[in-house]
Amino acid sequence: MEKYELQKLRDLPIEGVAERLGLQVTRHKCLCPFHDDRHPSLSFKVSKNTFRCFVCGASGGTIDLVMKCLNKSFLEATRWLADENNVILQTSATTHHPSDIIHQPSFDASRYEKYFERPFLNDEARRFLFDERRLDPRVVRWCHLTSWKDRQGVPWLQIPYYNQEGQLVGVQNRNLIRGALPRFRFPQGSQCGIYNLPVLNLLKPGDALYITEGSSDCWAMLSAGHKAIAIPSATLLTRQDKEQLSTLNSQLSTEFHMYPDRDEPGERLFLQLQRVLPSLVHHQLPPGCKDFSDYFLTFYRH
Ligand SMILES: [Zn+2]
């Protein structure tokens, strides 16, 4: 793994990582998961992006926290962090740079555009999109979803990210083998921020725009007949994404809606977004549905 990629994982906000791990952070402190803790003794140092428990002495950075909490090896922990946060990891060492240079490659759209012009869905992709997720084929076409198999025969769903002008700015590959790691892969330099921006060109004054967490909830929302965009994940909402949303809020005469995931990070994300989109309307998922995809599937149950 390249040095700059490890640094990206080390730079993920540590309190956000802790929350993804299920710890409840209040005023830079939480109950220590590594000893029988009654009063929060684990504290976070935001300036250094580290944690330390002053009772049992556990300490470290983001990767250490994941290794300890989930009992994972260093490599497993980095993969978990990358998957949870859509961080791009280069799995092979095809590009070698002197280790002291922080190198950020740019995205070569011309290499990928052709795949999305003539989408092809293999059996695994059709099973995932239509049998498991019950998505509307028109949505799958609109999103230019396609599929491929790598040299090891692993099937991947290939998800293009476009800007509002319709230019390809990034690609997300989703592993179609359930439970397999890595769950996602991104070509070099992919900008996978806000998803489905071209839908904004179809918005009519007064239309509702739904905001989902992740592309797959976005497909479910579109299949349910709503106009929707997706943001990557609660911990990865960047300042750039927030600025873009804030601009949309001032440009569009649109009402923003959201069904937050039924968990702590979901609600926290809603509150974060509400600061940028003050009129954001909260919808409650019914009990037993953890996200909108889940809820969408209940439309098909008798
Ligand atoms: Zn402790």
Side-chain angles (χ1 to χ4, degrees):
M1 203 179 303
E2 306 266 340
K3 203 171 184 175
Y4 75 87
E5 293 169 324
L6 270 185
Q7 198 54 47
K8 273 194 221 165
L9 300 178
R10 293 201 167 108
D11 289 344
L12 291 167
I14 193 153
E15 294 185 353
V17 171
E19 280 163 2
R20 276 271 143 169
L21 289 163
L23 303 175
Q24 291 201 9
V25 183
T26 316
R27 272 179 251 123
H28 312 301
K29 283 188 163 193
C30 73
L31 287 174
C32 175
F34 312 118
H35 77 270
D36 182 19
D37 202 6
R38 310 286 163 86
H39 304 286
S41 16
L42 192 142
S43 62
F44 297 94
K45 199 169 234 170
V46 177
S47 59
K48 290 187 172 165
N49 216 35
T50 56
F51 70 94
R52 174 175 293 278
C53 171
F54 62 79
V55 174
C56 72
S59 67
T62 53
I63 300 172
D64 305 294
L65 188 60
V66 175
M67 285 171 69
K68 287 201 172 84
C69 271
L70 301 179
N71 205 10
K72 285 181 183 296
S73 70
F74 179 82
L75 201 61
E76 287 168 343
T78 56
R79 283 198 185 131
W80 184 90
L81 271 170
D83 269 4
E84 286 290 310
N85 298 284
N86 288 7
V87 171
I88 301 152
L89 288 189
Q90 301 298 322
T91 40
S92 65
T94 46
T95 50
H96 184 260
H97 306 282
S99 56
D100 54 343
I101 294 177
I102 307 272
H103 173 86
Q104 181 69 297
S106 62
F107 178 67
D108 180 8
S110 65
R111 247 183 89 182
Y112 299 94
E113 273 158 350
K114 56 179 182 284
Y115 300 119
F116 304 111
E117 281 159 19
R118 283 191 205 85
F120 163 74
L121 297 174
N122 56 31
D123 289 346
E124 290 88 349
R126 302 186 67 80
R127 201 176 307 138
F128 173 71
L129 297 169
F130 302 126
D131 300 345
E132 261 178 54
R133 298 285 174 141
R134 302 280 194 152
L135 299 175
D136 188 325
R138 287 171 299 179
V139 169
V140 172
R141 275 198 299 277
W142 161 263
C143 293
H144 296 270
L145 302 182
T146 187
S147 60
W148 64 294
K149 277 188 185 169
D150 66 19
R151 269 183 233 160
Q152 281 79 43
V154 176
W156 297 86
L157 187 69
Q158 204 164 29
I159 306 158
Y161 279 64
Y162 299 99
N163 62 17
Q164 197 177 340
E165 289 71 44
Q167 290 159 319
L168 185 66
V169 292
V171 174
Q172 178 183 27
N173 288 294
R174 184 193 174 108
N175 198 323
L176 286 169
I177 297 177
R178 199 195 294 253
L181 286 175
R183 197 150 57 105
F184 296 109
R185 260 164 61 180
F186 301 85
Q188 282 201 339
S190 282
Q191 304 266 326
C192 296
I194 298 179
Y195 178 70
N196 199 29
L197 285 170
V199 80
L200 299 177
N201 304 319
L202 305 180
L203 277 181
K204 294 188 282 293
D207 267 358
L209 183 65
Y210 283 77
I211 299 182
T212 66
E213 194 181 326
S215 48
S216 59
D217 268 5
C218 190
W219 306 326
M221 194 61 85
L222 295 166
S223 296
H226 299 297
K227 295 193 172 107
I229 56 174
I231 50 162
S233 76
T235 44
L236 198 78
L237 193 64
T238 62
R239 207 178 55 197
Q240 206 186 348
D241 296 338
K242 285 185 193 166
E243 279 168 9
Q244 198 166 10
L245 288 170
S246 169
T247 309
L248 292 180
N249 190 44
S250 51
Q251 283 174 350
L252 305 167
S253 55
T254 289
E255 243 189 19
F256 294 91
H257 294 256
M258 188 178 187
Y259 281 88
D261 287 1
R262 266 187 92 105
D263 57 19
E264 180 92 23
E267 288 301 330
R268 201 170 292 270
L269 176 62
F270 176 82
L271 293 176
Q272 264 193 62
L273 287 173
Q274 207 180 32
R275 262 175 246 142
V276 196
L277 310 167
S279 65
L280 187 63
V281 180
H282 185 290
H283 297 265
Q284 183 73 57
L285 288 166
C289 295
K290 64 177 175 12
D291 55 29
F292 190 81
S293 296
D294 249 16
Y295 182 35
F296 179 65
L297 287 177
T298 65
F299 301 171
Y300 289 91
R301 279 178 213 136
H302 300 286

